[in-house]
Amino acid sequence: LRPGEHLVVAWDREILAAMRPGLRVAGNFEGRLSHRSDRILLLDAAGNPADEVRYHDGGRWPELADGEGASLELRDPRADNSRAEAWAASDESARSAWQSYTYSGIAAQKVGPSRWQELVLGLMDAGEVLLDDLSVVDSPDGAATEILQNGDFEEGAAHWRLIGNHRHSRVVEDPDAPSNHVLHVVATGPTEHMHNHAETTLAPGVRLVDSKVYQVSFRARWLAGCNRLNTRLYFNRVPRTTLLDAPALAGTPGAVNSTLVENLGPTYGAFGHEPTIPAAAEEVKVAALVDDADGVAACTLWWSVNGGAWTSAPMALVGQRYAGVVPGQASGTTVHFYVEAMDGRGAASTFPARGPDSRALFKVESGQTGSALVHNLRLLLTPQDADYLDVDTNAMSNDYLGSTVVYRESEAFYDVGIHLRGSERGRPIPGRRSFSLRFQADRPFRGVHRTVGLLFRVGKRLQ
């Protein structure tokens, strides 16, 4: 292979060559790559390791490259490819186009409440799609009365509620026609029967009537991940899961990576703070390995106290790691922190990668030490996230918020996903409140568990 050349190793060489004529293909590959994690080792002609990577699925690693058509792509070949942030799921959005969908059905309420007059929609798993021109027509073969409000989104998100694991959805400009507005549906998980979806109340005075025919129509453009869109009138009247058109030939085998950048900036490892649970007024040291092919020009530590304004201080190279200090804080204080570095060519990056939107936290000791407990866990959230969990209308959200989990008073897990778990009756009640935790794919709890369920018989707020 000369510089810039590509070679695709295929499980079935003939099939791939037929699907993509002109592709340089080797095979057949006799192994199987896991959808969760695996190690790929490249050897040179002498049998010596030339490169290797262990990939993972989700968390810091791209999740949409797991069986949803996207390739797992290296963003910058000069970056440390052992770091998750050097990788991304391929951008497939340029391969899709707007399509129109219409279906009709007879309303039938077989079970459940009939109090609300709504249209509900959501993706059946994590993914992204653009929607426009939503319509619900009463008696399409008769009076043909439109009963939906703001189905073209020209009033922004008015009349719509974007909740749970669909709460990151937004009204945006149509990339094909900037004067037109569309709903960019972003789902971090599957829609649910009572939450985790987009919903809108029908026009004033409208009441759904069983045995009547309703027609549901919309335009959609798939972008990434799941392409199964469920639409229904409340409560599961006229339901349909529509398979949205998605490109048959997805991914980027043999092509230049769609997420390629000229300079990614520094990558990071061995990130952490100590002491894990500081005493009142005790300084906390934050350190990280920072690596870049162009050298590291500067490294900065950022922190926020109890959800307040951000403060920064320079970090210095101490041995192999850059280190900085957060000043001592009062008992019970929650500190949110991250690292920012710039390479020798001026490209900057942060770690954890989302910077202020990530969740690396520590809490100053407040008399709650439980070191005598064999499996003691501390769940640390920012004040804003803790408040979010306490709002009744968010109780059924399955969208993972960020947190830090401290195990046995000494081991910190950063950016652990957390949401309430259980039924709609149990989640809001302090004595029945439970939690679902999702650890990073490359650092599972106790080296084994990606997800952990917790049942607490304690007070309402997380501490």
Side-chain angles (χ1 to χ4, degrees):
L1 289 177
R2 294 187 298 271
E5 288 187 333
H6 297 82
L7 176 66
V8 179
V9 181
W11 175 67
D12 191 311
R13 182 181 182 277
E14 293 184 357
I15 290 179
L16 186 59
M19 293 174 62
R20 297 180 183 267
L23 194 65
R24 187 178 180 184
V25 185
N28 293 333
F29 177 59
E30 296 180 355
R32 294 279 185 172
L33 292 179
S34 168
H35 283 282
R36 297 174 62 88
S37 176
D38 227 326
R39 174 174 173 260
I40 300 174
L41 172 65
L42 301 181
L43 304 178
D44 63 17
N48 298 314
D51 199 2
E52 71 172 296
V53 65
R54 175 169 289 280
Y55 66 85
H56 297 271
D57 170 34
R60 292 174 54 198
W61 288 83
E63 189 166 9
L64 295 180
D66 178 12
E68 296 289 358
S71 294
L72 183 63
E73 296 183 343
L74 189 61
R75 298 169 61 198
D76 180 355
R78 299 174 72 245
D80 183 350
N81 68 2
S82 69
R83 308 303 183 189
E85 291 72 25
W87 297 84
S90 60
D91 182 0
E92 302 297 316
S93 60
R95 305 172 189 264
S96 64
W98 285 99
Q99 300 289 341
S100 296
Y101 303 88
T102 301
Y103 72 94
S104 298
I106 299 174
Q109 180 68 12
K110 297 181 179 180
V111 64
S114 58
R115 176 179 176 184
W116 294 279
Q117 315 303 312
E118 297 175 346
L119 170 71
V120 181
L121 61 89
L123 289 173
M124 301 299 288
D125 208 337
E128 299 184 35
V129 63
L130 298 179
L131 292 179
D132 196 15
D133 298 334
L134 277 151
S135 171
V136 179
V137 174
D138 181 347
S139 304
D141 296 326
T145 304
E146 176 63 57
I147 60 175
L148 193 65
Q149 304 181 84
N150 192 28
D152 59 6
F153 302 103
E154 292 308 315
E155 299 178 52
H159 305 294
W160 286 88
R161 296 174 294 279
L162 311 170
I163 57 178
N165 57 23
H166 284 56
R167 71 187 180 102
H168 305 285
S169 305
R170 295 289 184 271
V171 174
V172 300
E173 292 182 346
D174 182 350
D176 295 338
S179 61
N180 182 46
H181 292 85
V182 299
L183 179 64
H184 182 183
V185 177
V186 179
T188 60
T191 186
E192 301 280 333
H193 79 293
M194 289 187 63
H195 206 79
N196 301 299
H197 54 234
E199 63 182 26
T200 181
T201 302
L202 302 176
V206 170
R207 294 198 63 82
L208 299 172
V209 179
D210 289 342
S211 78
K212 293 190 72 174
V213 175
Y214 293 89
Q215 176 182 282
V216 178
S217 61
F218 55 89
R219 293 194 309 129
R221 179 183 172 187
W222 173 86
L223 297 180
C226 178
N227 68 331
R228 302 180 302 280
L229 178 71
N230 182 268
T231 49
R232 59 199 185 275
L233 300 175
Y234 199 88
F235 180 89
N236 206 36
R237 292 181 173 94
V238 197
R240 176 71 61 91
T241 297
T242 302
L243 192 65
L244 305 179
D245 283 359
L249 292 179
T252 52
V256 174
N257 290 347
S258 62
T259 59
L260 185 69
V261 295
E262 195 275 331
N263 186 4
L264 180 65
T267 56
Y268 304 81
F271 172 83
H273 76 279
E274 59 180 17
T276 307
I277 305 174
E282 184 178 11
E283 292 183 340
V284 174
K285 176 184 174 183
V286 177
L289 284 172
V290 185
D291 179 72
D292 193 278
D294 298 305
V296 178
C299 193
T300 303
L301 172 63
W302 290 88
W303 70 89
S304 167
V305 176
N306 288 333
W310 288 92
T311 303
S312 65
M315 301 177 73
L317 190 59
V318 180
Q320 294 183 324
R321 296 202 295 172
Y322 281 84
V325 173
V326 177
Q329 304 293 327
S331 175
T333 299
T334 298
V335 176
H336 182 190
F337 63 97
Y338 69 94
V339 171
E340 180 180 30
M342 180 182 296
D343 71 10
R345 290 196 290 158
S349 63
T350 57
F351 193 86
R354 295 192 302 148
D357 293 326
S358 61
R359 292 296 183 263
L361 308 163
F362 66 81
K363 186 171 183 178
V364 180
E365 180 55 62
S366 58
Q368 294 179 319
T369 300
S371 57
L373 301 177
V374 175
H375 299 300
N376 179 50
L377 286 174
R378 290 177 182 254
L379 310 182
L380 307 182
L381 283 81
T382 65
Q384 295 87 346
D385 289 342
D387 289 341
Y388 177 89
L389 285 181
D390 273 339
V391 177
D392 288 343
T393 53
N394 296 328
M396 293 304 296
S397 174
N398 286 343
D399 186 41
Y400 281 103
L401 301 178
S403 70
T404 291
V405 173
V406 177
Y407 178 50
R408 300 185 69 175
E409 306 294 287
S410 59
E411 188 177 5
F413 295 82
Y414 306 112
D415 265 338
V416 175
I418 183 171
H419 67 67
L420 299 179
R421 63 179 297 181
S423 72
E424 70 275 13
R425 294 173 177 83
R427 291 194 188 194
I429 300 175
R432 295 174 61 183
R433 178 165 283 192
S434 301
F435 301 93
S436 177
L437 302 179
R438 188 181 187 187
F439 288 78
Q440 294 292 330
D442 53 1
R443 196 180 171 212
F445 180 64
R446 301 185 69 185
V448 177
H449 304 290
R450 180 74 195 280
T451 58
V452 174
L454 299 177
L455 174 63
F456 282 95
R457 297 289 183 180
V458 294
K460 186 175 183 181
R461 286 186 59 84
L462 278 175
Q463 298 296 327

